[in-house]
Structure formats: structure tokens, C-alpha cells
Amino acid sequence: MKYIFVLMGLLFSMASQASVIVNATRVVYPSDAKFVNVQLVNRGTTTHLVQSWIDDGNVSNTPEKIKVPFVLTPPVVKMKGGEGQSIKIVGKNLDSLPNNRESVFWLNIVDIPPQPEGKAKEGANKRGNSSRLTQSFHFFMFEPIFSPVNALNQPI
């Protein structure tokens, strides 16, 4: 039993090899905000492509079926080594979300590194070795603003 905990500790403590780092593990979107910014930094020396999107956590949904009341701009960005980038999350149709509790979504960031120099250009339009991709999931929460009158009338 002791060995299982040691093994789990080693597995979960391994450092990620991602070059693109997100400044936060969770993002809170207050209901009275027009937008929220998320900062990305490329700590590597090479240019990386970064793709991002928000979903509701249902892994069986395809990208075409994901319906969330938020828009990310830009959804795909090219980041040079040592540079930063801001992703803007804009709320759209926020009235569809409950105003008496928080709503949870997932901010997904995929870091796509360049193909190594020595590789052949054959099949250049293919995605390549998927183990080189680094995807991170970040807790994204919509937080309604309660008025003092509404907060007193909320069930506990």
C-alpha cells in the first residue's frame, strides 16, 4: 500500500514539458464584467501554435456541438519564444446561466510545438506525433453578482 502512494506521488509530481504557460489555474468571470483576460507566456525559445476553447466538460461532445455562452479571441495564436499573449473571454447570452449559483466550464489550452528541424517535409500537413502536444485544462467559472436582498432570500 505504501508503494502505491509513492508511485502516485512520483507520477503526479512530474514537471510538464510545456513551453506555453497559463498565468492561472482557474479563471473567474464575474457577471458584471464585459470580458476577462487570460495571460499566456511562451517560456521556450521556439515559436509555438496555441489553440484554445471553452467547453462544459462533456468529453463526448464534438467541437461543433459545444454550446457555451462565451467566446474566446483569438482562438488560435502563434507565439514566438519569450513572448506573451492575452486571450480575451467575452460573455454572450449570459442570461441563459443561472443567477443564483456559479456555473462551471473548462478552458482548454493546447500547445503545439514546431516539428523538429531534422524531420522530412513529407506529410507536412499531418498533425505529427500527438505525444508532443501539451493540453492543459483550466477551471473556468461564471460567478453571478448577488444583491443583498437576493442573497438573503437564497436557500442554503
Side-chain angles (χ1 to χ4, degrees), residues 7 15 38 42 45 53 62 74 83 109 117 121 131 135 141 150:
L7 181 61
V38 177
N42 184 353
T45 57
W53 70 94
T62 59
E83 291 188 354
I109 308 287
E117 288 291 323
K121 297 295 181 190
S131 66
Q135 182 169 2
M141 181 173 47
N150 287 341

Side-chain angles (χ1 to χ4, degrees), residues 29 68-71 90-98 105 142:
Y29 191 107
V68 293
F70 300 98
V71 176
V90 180
K92 123 184 158 179
N93 193 19
L94 295 178
D95 295 335
S96 66
L97 297 174
F105 299 92
F142 173 76

Side-chain angles (χ1 to χ4, degrees), residues 35-125:
F35 62 88
V36 173
N37 285 325
V38 177
Q39 297 292 322
L40 305 176
V41 177
N42 184 353
R43 293 196 178 160
T45 57
T46 58
T47 301
H48 286 236
L49 188 65
V50 177
Q51 180 181 11
S52 55
W53 70 94
I54 295 176
D55 65 32
D56 60 2
N58 186 351
V59 295
S60 63
N61 274 353
T62 59
E64 303 83 37
K65 293 182 181 179
I66 296 173
K67 302 289 185 216
V68 293
F70 300 98
V71 176
L72 278 171
T73 58
V76 177
V77 65
K78 182 178 175 181
M79 294 181 65
K80 293 182 181 177
E83 291 188 354
Q85 174 70 37
S86 180
I87 295 176
K88 184 186 277 189
I89 302 173
V90 180
K92 123 184 158 179
N93 193 19
L94 295 178
D95 295 335
S96 66
L97 297 174
N99 63 0
N100 62 348
R101 65 182 185 275
E102 297 169 339
S103 300
V104 177
F105 299 92
W106 293 98
L107 171 62
N108 301 276
I109 308 287
V110 177
D111 172 12
I112 306 168
Q115 189 169 6
E117 288 291 323
K119 295 264 181 171
K121 297 295 181 190
E122 179 183 326
N125 61 350

